Amino acid sequence: DIQMTQSPSSLSASVGDRVTLTCRASQSISTYLNWYQQKPGEAPRLLIYAASSLHSGVPSRFSGSGSGTDFTLTISSLQPEDFATYYCQQSFRTRYTFGQGTKLEIQ
Amino acid sequence: QVQLVQSGAEVKMPGASVRVSCKASGRAFTDYGVSWVRQAPGQGLEWMGWITTYNGYTNYAQKLQDRLTLTTDASTTTAYMELRSLTSDDTAIYYCARRTPDSNGFYYFFDFWGQGTLVTVSS
């Protein structure tokens, strides 16, 4: 199975900050990479698919980039509602796998 | 509007089996796949498997394939997840999610999720 590794595991930031989260695949996955946001007590929410395509209804402050093994999710100006845990997930192989998550906390 | 509504919380003894349902409403059920993802307390997301709703093709995570069975019933637009030989390690929230292709059919993602079902395994 393809292993997905996210860094950092947690990150403290302030409202208005620009933050970048990283996800690395154990082998090349082209651009078959999705990002999800999860808040406590809620189901995950799709943010980005195909590495850089913004899902419908997701604010434009979210953006994704990367290809091959290295990917990033950037939030251009953090809003209070963005403090959550973020997961990457590969869809290159149909045995899908998630990263372990990055928890974004208020500084 | 697409909705996935899951069955209620379950408490099971070690060694037992559990079956969780996921009823879909909205767009045509057989146009999409259904994936199952679980989350142990305080832990990350773990993909379990997925099933195509039009022909029942399944793909399971290797660590679960001996204990997991996914099925669908198109007549009731419901997907089911059955996990056998439960241990305390299976205590988790179980989610169903719609497996959806992009407009070109190249990329797949999980765009609609059920509300989650807590399964507790305890003696």
Side-chain angles (χ1 to χ4, degrees):
Chain A
D1 291 352
I2 299 174
Q3 306 304 313
M4 307 300 294
T5 303
Q6 293 184 240
S7 61
S9 56
S10 64
L11 176 63
S12 294
S14 301
V15 173
D17 284 353
R18 177 184 179 92
V19 297
T20 297
L21 284 55
T22 298
C23 176
R24 174 166 289 175
S26 61
Q27 66 179 78
S28 178
I29 58 170
S30 182
T31 54
Y32 289 83
L33 192 282
N34 304 322
W35 289 97
Y36 300 84
Q37 175 194 67
Q38 187 181 34
K39 297 179 181 179
E42 297 183 4
R45 169 197 180 199
L46 176 68
L47 298 176
I48 301 281
Y49 65 93
S52 61
S53 295
L54 197 67
H55 182 54
S56 175
V58 175
S60 59
R61 63 180 180 273
F62 291 91
S63 63
S65 67
S67 67
T69 61
D70 294 316
F71 302 86
T72 59
L73 173 70
T74 298
I75 309 173
S76 60
S77 178
L78 275 173
Q79 299 301 301
E81 61 268 29
D82 299 338
F83 291 95
T85 301
Y86 293 84
Y87 295 93
C88 62
Q89 173 242 328
Q90 64 82 19
S91 61
F92 182 75
R93 297 291 184 208
T94 55
R95 278 186 166 170
Y96 304 115
T97 43
F98 288 92
Q100 82 280 14
T102 292
K103 186 175 184 180
L104 184 53
E105 298 174 302
I106 300 175
Q107 190 166 51
Chain B
Q1 175 69 354
V2 175
Q3 271 196 308
L4 300 176
V5 179
Q6 299 183 222
S7 50
E10 302 265 11
V11 179
K12 296 292 182 180
M13 297 282 286
S17 298
V18 69
R19 190 189 197 206
V20 177
S21 67
C22 170
K23 182 169 176 59
S25 61
R27 292 290 298 274
F29 182 71
T30 53
D31 290 349
Y32 304 91
V34 175
S35 192
W36 290 84
V37 175
R38 69 179 181 178
Q39 186 169 37
Q43 303 301 308
L45 302 174
E46 179 185 14
W47 177 77
M48 301 176 66
W50 65 272
I51 182 168
T52 59
T53 48
Y54 68 92
N55 67 358
Y57 169 84
T58 55
N59 196 338
Y60 298 132
Q62 190 164 11
K63 67 174 284 190
L64 295 173
Q65 61 184 9
D66 292 339
R67 301 193 292 129
L68 178 63
T69 300
L70 303 182
T71 56
T72 64
D73 183 344
S75 67
T76 60
T77 63
T78 303
Y80 298 93
M81 184 283 298
E82 181 185 38
L83 189 61
R84 300 175 294 279
S85 303
L86 293 169
T87 73
S88 57
D89 290 342
D90 295 314
T91 293
I93 297 173
Y94 289 75
Y95 294 100
C96 62
R98 191 178 78 167
R99 176 184 179 264
T100 302
D102 74 332
S103 57
N104 296 315
F106 294 149
Y107 297 93
Y108 285 86
F109 42 80
F110 308 141
D111 59 346
F112 288 95
W113 294 68
Q115 82 276 19
T117 297
L118 175 62
V119 175
T120 303
V121 183
S122 174
S123 56

